[in-house]
Amino acid sequence: MKFSVLMSIYYKEKPEYFNRCMESIWDEQSVKPNEIVLVEDGKLSQELYEIINKWKEKLGSLFKTIPLKKNVGLGDALNIGLQECRYEIVARMDTDDIAMPDRFEKQLKVFENSNIDICSSWVGEFEKNENKIMQYRKVPKTHAEIVKFAKKRNPMNHPAVMYKKSTVIKAGSYKKMMGFEDYYLWIRMILNGASFYNIQEPLVNMRAGVNQLERRRGKNYIKAEIDFLKTIYNEGFLNSFEFFKILIIRLSLRAMPKRVLQNIYKLLRR
């Protein structure tokens, strides 16, 4: 089964992280992708261009880059890249994460043996050393469990998803929803009748830590979260009780001291 890998990169990414990511999705994979599509989201650093050119020389036509004149943000960049993917099966990957050697092999088996539209997995989170996993971001397995979980939290780990291109496009692809582009896509796919599945083991290790928590605080993030909840309520995914319950819980979390929030974050990841 042929598939594409879809990524987007921007100028703040570290060249060594991107190079490690490429090693994990090509050099170390038991089943290699038939195509890697990288969207260059605006002008990049010279160091990033050097790493990109290194991989172009190594992979040739298998490595397709799409340069954008200005930074458009992750959602729009992925939409552009998705249109350029040649294959129906598309695996997402963030350019600073690390795929396990059997990631693609295990996900492709799910697509070959099941009638599903999107498959993700657990992810391991590390701060500096990829061999020292701090915690795992676990998500439920079956479609019914995923739909129920989605009422409270994001049910899919975006950096580990593999999906059918046509199903994502049918649901409207990624849309503007600051901080929640992927979560909003999953909700629309659920409402559109797509079938979900999560492999119950980590297939990607991702960089995380205190900075990730900092991005989930502040007035702008709170406003974006309220807008997101209002949107999925208006689209019929949440009823009134669910909307107000989740709103109160989430706003309470955002108001907590950082140290308390860190402990809650760790508990949720177990």
Side-chain angles (χ1 to χ4, degrees), residues 25-88:
I25 63 175
W26 183 260
D27 294 345
E28 300 170 2
Q29 282 297 311
S30 58
V31 175
K32 299 185 188 299
N34 303 94
E35 171 187 62
I36 299 172
V37 176
L38 176 70
V39 181
E40 298 174 0
D41 192 7
K43 187 177 180 180
L44 306 178
S45 68
Q46 183 59 38
E47 292 79 10
L48 281 172
Y49 284 128
E50 289 174 2
I51 298 297
I52 290 170
N53 288 334
K54 165 193 162 182
W55 282 96
K56 280 184 177 180
E57 292 177 6
K58 182 173 182 175
L59 300 180
S61 60
L62 287 175
F63 188 36
K64 183 177 183 180
T65 58
I66 305 168
L68 304 181
K69 291 183 179 180
K70 63 178 182 179
N71 182 275
V72 298
L74 181 62
D76 287 344
L78 291 179
N79 282 337
I80 293 168
L82 186 62
Q83 294 294 336
E84 297 294 328
C85 290
R86 295 173 56 192
Y87 302 106
E88 168 70 348

Side-chain angles (χ1 to χ4, degrees), residues 66-118:
I66 305 168
L68 304 181
K69 291 183 179 180
K70 63 178 182 179
N71 182 275
V72 298
L74 181 62
D76 287 344
L78 291 179
N79 282 337
I80 293 168
L82 186 62
Q83 294 294 336
E84 297 294 328
C85 290
R86 295 173 56 192
Y87 302 106
E88 168 70 348
I89 302 298
V90 177
R92 269 283 293 121
M93 187 74 186
D94 283 344
T95 51
D96 59 351
D97 291 340
I98 300 165
M100 297 296 96
D102 54 359
R103 175 197 165 178
F104 300 144
E105 179 182 358
K106 289 184 174 179
Q107 288 185 298
L108 288 172
K109 284 181 180 178
V110 171
F111 280 92
E112 290 168 355
N113 299 322
S114 309
N115 184 27
I116 61 123
D117 297 293
I118 177 169

Side-chain angles (χ1 to χ4, degrees), residues 171-187:
S173 296
Y174 297 90
K175 292 186 177 181
K176 292 287 187 184
M177 187 63 66
M178 190 185 85
F180 297 90
E181 290 93 344
D182 60 312
Y183 196 171
Y184 185 35
L185 174 58
W186 315 148
I187 299 301

Side-chain angles (χ1 to χ4, degrees), residues 12 14 34 40 58 95 117 148 157 209 224 234 246:
K12 287 187 178 181
K14 293 187 176 182
N34 303 94
E40 298 174 0
K58 182 173 182 175
T95 51
D117 297 293
K148 183 178 179 181
N157 287 315
N234 290 331
I246 296 169

